[in-house]
Amino acid sequence: MVHRPPIKALAFDVFGTVVDWRSGIARDAAPILARLGRTDIDPHAFADGWRKRYQPALEEVRSGRRPFVILDTLHREALEDLLRHHNIDPAALDGATLTDLTHAWHRLEPWPDSVEGLTRLKTRYPIVTLSNGNIALMLEMVRRAGLPWDAILGAEVSRVYKPLPEAYLATARMLAIEPSELCLVAAHHSDLAAARAAGLQTAYVDRPHEYGGRPAPDADAAQDWEFGVDSLTRLADELCR
Amino acid sequence: MVHRPPIKALAFDVFGTVVDWRSGIARDAAPILARLGRTDIDPHAFADGWRKRYQPALEEVRSGRRPFVILDTLHREALEDLLRHHNIDPAALDGATLTDLTHAWHRLEPWPDSVEGLTRLKTRYPIVTLSNGNIALMLEMVRRAGLPWDAILGAEVSRVYKPLPEAYLATARMLAIEPSELCLVAAHHSDLAAARAAGLQTAYVDRPHEYGGRPAPDADAAQDWEFGVDSLTRLADELCR
């Protein structure tokens, strides 16, 4: 059996792992699409398109070709691009509406087990975010959803986007612990693989509804993670006994 | 009457405003000084000397002469300097003891009204730290004292030490609000004056026991702040009615 150092803190991916982005984005996009007379566009497919669309922009920042900008900015650009893809001129919506729709990412709801699971895990471990989301986004989400984070860390604090190794290493450093004493909790194998490569422990949370029941795009990156659960309450069962 | 924009978030100074640094440092220094046979050194005076001693080091970083380092590092250097000042070779203590004593700053206790006041203020406003303390320091303090911050911001996040204007401006920017929509809550006139100069609103909390009953070193910097209270529960009375 491999020796595992004691875990001193838990860092969480947020979009998909703690909150349900697809339902929340579809909910907020639907009335806008209806107002534009575009009921032919499925709001859930619109959410999928939005989520997929900011990855190339993230890569521009990760590669260093573009200076760091917060995720709200990348979300806004991706939204305008997505609208144009659907032959909608972003100018057909006023600026306040575009900003408000961009902030749909601030208003996502937690999965049913998230608040209880985090609250129980927090009794034993510091719990922090390790998300690509920016601070204002995470803060509004926290205020609405009651997520009991001890601290909001992640991209805007470290100025590095996952899955670059420095995103994980900077988080351990800010917590003043070794990478091997930090456990990333995520629903995405690709995120966990990068965390493991950087020396972190890993906990996989299965979220079969993240993509509306379709398989995750990174299903083939699955490994034998240190922990594997189907909810954050089950993770609390494993880690807090 | 001057127009005040609505306050959208509260940012808090921590050392002296929310927690009692002098008693906490004296409590943890006393047994170490006793072990060294130095009961002639008053632990409270030791605390005062430590607090005063890291200001020049902060200034080195603020001036840009020294790259950013976290407060734990500056606290450790100031401790070693203070020990030498008392003719104690820091090597007389093992490294673990020096580290543990440095971390006395992580273990400070809140003033009696802090947790209740913050909890009430949080029902209405996002509450964040705007302290020169680093993240691991704030996090350990949070976990021990139950301070209900929505987010830990401040020096390590913005990479700037107060009272440089950018410390206040970066905090507003990370919260995605205007400086005038952010209110700094602090027991120190010098901190509030710098926040006001950067465009923030200001709330003064009187903490007459911060210096053991002696006047504050910046008492002559007093101004007519937007709010003036003698506890965080009184601030909640003012802001949450």
Side-chain angles (χ1 to χ4, degrees), chain B:
Chain B
M1 186 179 157
V2 180
H3 171 70
R4 292 178 191 161
I7 293 172
K8 293 196 177 164
L10 301 172
F12 291 77
D13 174 62
V14 174
F15 301 120
T17 301
V18 177
V19 301
D20 173 8
W21 56 267
R22 193 168 187 265
S23 303
I25 296 301
R27 174 201 61 202
D28 285 8
I32 310 282
L33 294 170
R35 199 202 306 169
L36 291 163
R38 292 300 301 271
T39 48
D40 59 306
I41 304 170
D42 172 47
H44 287 89
F46 190 84
D48 291 335
W50 198 352
R51 170 88 170 164
K52 192 158 49 179
R53 216 160 215 91
Y54 70 77
Q55 289 300 330
L58 274 181
E59 188 49 35
E60 285 295 297
V61 176
R62 282 191 292 251
S63 69
R65 286 189 294 271
R66 180 177 181 182
F68 183 85
V69 289
I70 60 173
L71 195 64
D72 272 350
T73 302
L74 300 179
H75 274 150
R76 171 64 175 265
E77 294 172 1
L79 171 62
E80 297 193 18
D81 187 51
L82 177 63
L83 289 169
R84 281 188 290 263
H85 169 77
H86 287 293
N87 295 314
I88 300 167
D89 180 356
L93 293 165
D94 59 88
T97 300
L98 286 170
T99 298
D100 187 63
L101 183 52
T102 302
H103 290 180
W105 293 92
H106 300 205
R107 297 186 294 262
L108 303 177
E109 292 196 9
W111 298 108
D113 55 274
S114 292
V115 173
E116 184 196 334
L118 291 174
T119 303
R120 288 173 52 202
L121 289 162
K122 183 177 178 169
T123 62
R124 182 88 153 255
Y125 301 95
I127 56 168
V128 305
T129 63
L130 175 36
S131 162
N132 282 340
N134 51 292
I135 293 169
L137 185 165
M138 288 291 142
L139 188 66
E140 187 171 355
M141 185 187 282
V142 161
R143 301 272 310 165
R144 295 174 63 96
L147 301 168
W149 306 120
D150 285 303
I152 294 171
L153 301 182
E156 191 177 358
V157 179
S158 65
R159 316 297 282 184
V160 178
Y161 278 113
K162 297 190 292 182
L164 286 178
E166 179 61 12
Y168 308 95
L169 297 174
T171 299
R173 208 163 52 235
M174 290 186 285
L175 295 168
I177 62 178
E178 296 297 321
S180 61
E181 296 169 332
L182 181 60
C183 181
L184 179 73
V185 183
H188 309 128
H189 298 299
S190 50
D191 196 3
L192 294 168
R196 172 173 278 180
L200 275 68
Q201 295 191 55
T202 51
Y204 173 70
V205 187
D206 192 36
R207 295 297 193 191
H209 301 296
E210 178 175 4
Y211 300 96
R214 288 189 320 240
D218 63 350
D220 60 351
Q223 299 181 31
D224 184 22
W225 308 116
E226 278 81 2
F227 304 91
V229 293
D230 61 6
S231 69
L232 296 182
T233 44
R234 296 289 286 175
L235 187 63
D237 293 342
E238 293 256 342
L239 286 175
C240 300
R241 51 183 173 196

Side-chain angles (χ1 to χ4, degrees), chain A residues 90-104:
Chain A
L93 292 164
D94 60 88
T97 301
L98 286 170
T99 298
D100 187 64
L101 183 52
T102 302
H103 290 181

Side-chain angles (χ1 to χ4, degrees), chain A:
Chain A
M1 188 177 155
V2 179
H3 172 69
R4 293 178 191 161
I7 292 171
K8 293 196 179 165
L10 300 172
F12 291 78
D13 175 63
V14 174
F15 301 121
T17 301
V18 177
V19 300
D20 173 9
W21 56 267
R22 194 169 186 263
S23 303
I25 296 302
R27 174 199 63 202
D28 285 7
I32 310 282
L33 294 171
R35 198 202 306 170
L36 292 164
R38 293 301 301 272
T39 49
D40 60 305
I41 304 170
D42 173 48
H44 287 88
F46 189 84
D48 290 335
W50 198 352
R51 171 86 170 164
K52 192 159 49 178
R53 215 160 217 92
Y54 69 77
Q55 288 302 329
L58 274 182
E59 188 50 34
E60 284 296 297
V61 177
R62 280 190 294 250
S63 69
R65 286 189 295 270
R66 180 176 181 182
F68 183 84
V69 290
I70 61 174
L71 195 63
D72 273 350
T73 302
L74 300 180
H75 274 150
R76 171 64 173 266
E77 294 171 1
L79 171 61
E80 297 195 17
D81 188 51
L82 178 63
L83 289 169
R84 279 188 292 264
H85 169 77
H86 286 295
N87 296 312
I88 300 167
D89 180 356
L93 292 164
D94 60 88
T97 301
L98 286 170
T99 298
D100 187 64
L101 183 52
T102 302
H103 290 181
W105 293 92
H106 299 204
R107 298 187 294 263
L108 304 177
E109 293 194 11
W111 298 108
D113 54 274
S114 292
V115 173
E116 184 196 336
L118 291 174
T119 302
R120 286 173 53 202
L121 288 162
K122 182 177 179 169
T123 61
R124 182 88 153 254
Y125 302 95
I127 57 169
V128 304
T129 63
L130 175 35
S131 163
N132 282 338
N134 51 293
I135 292 169
L137 185 165
M138 288 291 142
L139 189 65
E140 187 171 355
M141 184 187 283
V142 161
R143 300 274 307 164
R144 296 173 62 94
L147 300 168
W149 306 122
D150 285 303
I152 295 173
L153 301 181
E156 192 176 357
V157 179
S158 64
R159 316 297 283 184
V160 178
Y161 279 114
K162 294 189 295 183
L164 286 177
E166 179 60 12
Y168 308 95
L169 297 174
T171 299
R173 206 162 54 235
M174 289 185 287
L175 295 168
I177 61 178
E178 295 298 321
S180 60
E181 295 170 332
L182 180 60
C183 180
L184 179 72
V185 182
H188 310 128
H189 298 298
S190 49
D191 196 2
L192 294 167
R196 172 173 279 181
L200 276 67
Q201 295 191 54
T202 52
Y204 172 71
V205 188
D206 193 35
R207 294 300 192 190
H209 300 295
E210 178 176 3
Y211 299 96
R214 287 188 320 238
D218 64 348
D220 60 351
Q223 299 181 30
D224 183 21
W225 308 115
E226 277 82 1
F227 303 91
V229 293
D230 61 7
S231 70
L232 297 182
T233 45
R234 295 289 286 176
L235 187 62
D237 293 342
E238 293 255 343
L239 286 174
C240 300
R241 53 182 173 199

